[in-house]
């Protein structure tokens, strides 16, 4: 495979704000998280082998579009996958004018990946730190007219330590405060559904009671962080209570909330079903649509200032979360650039 040089400069991009179809208006959408929000990063990074598609839908951990897709459509925004941007060119191609999706399937709440054995794949906190570090290194601040979304923590309990809620609370809280610290004004944050009620909680010697207890502890800690941030009058913090949403799923038209669709393909038709859970861990696309609707309602319930109609500035460096896959390279290859390289940019 031909080696590619990594660009060490940064580029400033200016562009007019696009027209939006929603009652609220954001100029870009930045997504941080794990498989619940990943629309193809881990799929690209593993040479389009994980998750296996089909039966998974186009590199997503579900049987159809995710809440990111549904919400993005409502807002008129389609964030570019981090792995679809080639940072070896100046300017990077394509230019992600509508935001970036940094989420990776398997991401822990911290620095690494809890599922895929590649130490360079970024956890949720590392995604945020990388984004913030690029801005700070280039004396930039986060776009105040963008929407930033954060959802993570479940992989810590399923794959790292089911009893440790302190670490993911600390990681997600730090990620939230980091976004605020670099200038983010509009943040959409999700708590966790009751992990002890998911089908996956009953396999591989997992203890549903432990997972339920840890979920409650995590959600309480997250709620305290969010409550503190909401006291800042300059911030719009939008909360999505997936814990309550999943507990009420049977009243929202879902006829099977205990089994995974993949385990009952005799009665479950992917992309068109009333199952809540797709594969034991992840929501079906029908559930993702409900999540997106709740998220949009949370956003529209608050007074979100319209962004000024002027030119926005977006700074990009040689982002170091992962090496970006080139189309002409072997699909199974993943190139990695350390965050330290990015943070040294001046």
């Amino acid at each position: 495979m031909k080696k590619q040089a990594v660009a060490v400069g940064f580029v400033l991009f200016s562009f007019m704000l696009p027209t939006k179809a929603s009652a609220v208006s954001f100029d870009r959408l930045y997504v941080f998280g794990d498989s619940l929000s990943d629309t193809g990063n881990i799929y690209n990074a593993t040479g389009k082998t994980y998750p296996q598609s089909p039966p998974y839908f186009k590199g997503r951990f579900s049987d159809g579009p995710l809440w990111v897709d549904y919400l993005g459509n409502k807002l008129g925004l389609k964030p570019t996958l981090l792995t679809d941007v080639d940072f070896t060119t100046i300017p990077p191609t394509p230019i992600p004018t509508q935001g970036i999706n940094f989420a990776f399937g398997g991401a822990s709440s911290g620095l690494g990946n809890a599922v895929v054995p590649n130490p360079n794949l970024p956890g949720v906190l590392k995604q945020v730190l990388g984004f913030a570090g690029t801005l700070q290194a280039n004396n930039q601040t986060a776009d105040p007219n963008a929407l930033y979304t954060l959802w993570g923590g479940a992989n810590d309990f399923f794959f790292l330590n089911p009893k440790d809620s302190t670490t993911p609370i600390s990681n997600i809280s730090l990620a939230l405060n980091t976004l605020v610290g670099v200038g983010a004004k509009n943040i959409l944050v999700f708590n966790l559904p009751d992990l002890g009620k998911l089908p996956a909680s009953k396999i591989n010697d997992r203890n549903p009671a432990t997972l339920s207890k840890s979920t409650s502890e995590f959600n309480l800690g997250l709620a305290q962080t969010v409550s503190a941030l909401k006291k800042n009058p300059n911030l719009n913090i939008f909360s999505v209570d997936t814990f309550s949403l999943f507990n009420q799923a049977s009243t929202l038209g879902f006829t099977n909330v205990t089994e995974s669709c993949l385990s009952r393909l005799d009665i479950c038709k992917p992309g068109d079903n009333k199952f809540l859970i797709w594969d034991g861990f992840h929501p079906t696309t029908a559930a993702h649509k409900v999540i997106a609707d709740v998220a949009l309602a949370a956003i529209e319930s608050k007074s979100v200032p319209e962004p000024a109609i002027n030119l926005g500035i977006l700074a990009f460096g040689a982002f170091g979360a992962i090496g970006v896959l080139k189309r002409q390279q072997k699909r199974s290859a993943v190139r990695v650039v350390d965050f330290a390289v990015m943070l040294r940019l001046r």
Side-chain angles (χ1 to χ4, degrees):
M1 179 178 63
K2 184 178 180 180
K3 293 184 178 180
Q4 303 288 337
V6 177
V8 295
F10 68 93
V11 182
L12 294 179
F13 302 111
S14 299
F15 48 88
M16 294 302 296
L17 305 181
T19 301
K20 299 293 177 294
S22 174
V24 293
S25 185
F26 303 105
D27 62 354
R28 304 176 196 104
L29 176 59
Y30 292 100
V31 181
F32 304 94
D34 52 28
S35 55
L36 295 170
S37 306
D38 181 2
T39 55
N41 278 321
I42 199 68
Y43 186 60
N44 286 344
T46 58
K48 301 188 184 303
T49 62
Y50 177 71
Q52 184 178 349
S53 302
Y56 288 82
F57 177 77
K58 297 182 179 180
R60 292 156 173 80
F61 289 80
S62 191
D63 56 327
L66 306 187
W67 71 270
V68 175
D69 301 299
Y70 290 120
L71 181 63
N73 287 339
K74 293 287 187 180
L75 297 176
L77 294 170
K78 185 177 181 181
T80 303
L81 286 170
L82 178 65
T83 50
D84 279 344
V85 182
D86 182 3
F87 288 104
T88 68
T89 66
I90 299 179
T93 53
I95 297 175
T97 58
Q98 297 187 34
I100 300 177
N101 187 329
F102 295 92
F104 276 81
S108 70
S109 66
L111 302 181
N113 198 288
V115 179
V116 180
N118 186 323
N120 297 298
L121 297 177
V124 179
L125 178 58
K126 189 170 185 179
Q127 295 163 25
V128 173
L129 292 177
F131 172 74
T134 300
L135 294 173
Q136 293 169 334
N138 295 307
N139 297 314
Q140 299 289 317
T141 57
D143 176 4
N145 295 324
L147 177 64
Y148 303 83
T149 75
L150 188 69
W151 193 2
N155 288 327
D156 293 56
F157 298 119
F158 275 125
F159 301 104
L160 298 179
N161 188 342
K163 297 180 179 180
D164 177 18
S165 59
T166 301
T167 299
I169 290 171
S170 176
N171 288 335
I172 298 300
S173 295
L174 178 56
L176 283 170
N177 281 284
T178 298
L179 286 173
V180 172
V182 294
K185 300 297 184 184
N186 307 296
I187 303 176
L188 179 66
V189 58
F190 300 75
N191 67 7
L192 295 178
D194 188 342
L195 302 182
K197 291 184 178 180
L198 297 183
S201 69
K202 302 175 180 64
I203 61 176
N204 295 335
D205 297 322
R206 295 189 177 100
N207 187 317
T210 297
L211 288 169
S212 291
K213 180 175 181 294
S214 294
T215 300
S216 296
E217 293 172 349
F218 173 85
N219 286 346
L220 177 59
L222 179 62
Q224 292 172 343
T225 297
V226 170
S227 178
L229 290 174
K230 285 184 175 180
K231 294 178 181 178
N232 186 335
N234 297 317
L235 298 178
N236 289 306
I237 307 296
F238 315 109
S239 301
V240 177
D241 184 5
T242 60
F243 184 90
S244 297
L245 183 63
F246 274 47
N247 285 345
Q248 299 168 3
S250 59
T251 68
L252 300 175
F254 293 95
T255 58
N256 192 320
V257 299
T258 59
E259 298 177 292
S260 70
C261 175
L262 274 179
S263 71
R264 294 301 310 274
L265 288 179
D266 56 323
I267 59 174
C268 176
K269 181 180 179 182
D272 181 20
N273 63 80
K274 296 298 183 180
F275 278 67
L276 177 67
I277 304 300
W278 165 239
D279 60 359
F281 296 94
H282 306 97
T284 58
T285 190
H288 272 287
K289 186 176 187 304
V290 173
I291 293 169
D293 289 342
V294 171
L296 184 62
I299 293 170
E300 293 187 328
S301 69
K302 296 192 66 173
S303 176
V304 182
E306 290 290 324
I309 303 302
N310 55 16
L311 292 178
I313 301 297
L314 180 61
F316 282 96
F319 191 88
I322 69 165
V324 182
L325 300 183
K326 296 281 285 178
R327 293 295 184 187
Q328 68 268 28
Q329 293 174 340
K330 294 181 180 179
R331 291 184 174 182
S332 61
V334 179
R335 296 177 61 246
V336 179
V337 181
D338 193 271
F339 271 110
V341 175
M342 175 190 66
L343 296 176
R344 285 197 296 269
L345 297 180
R346 289 292 187 274

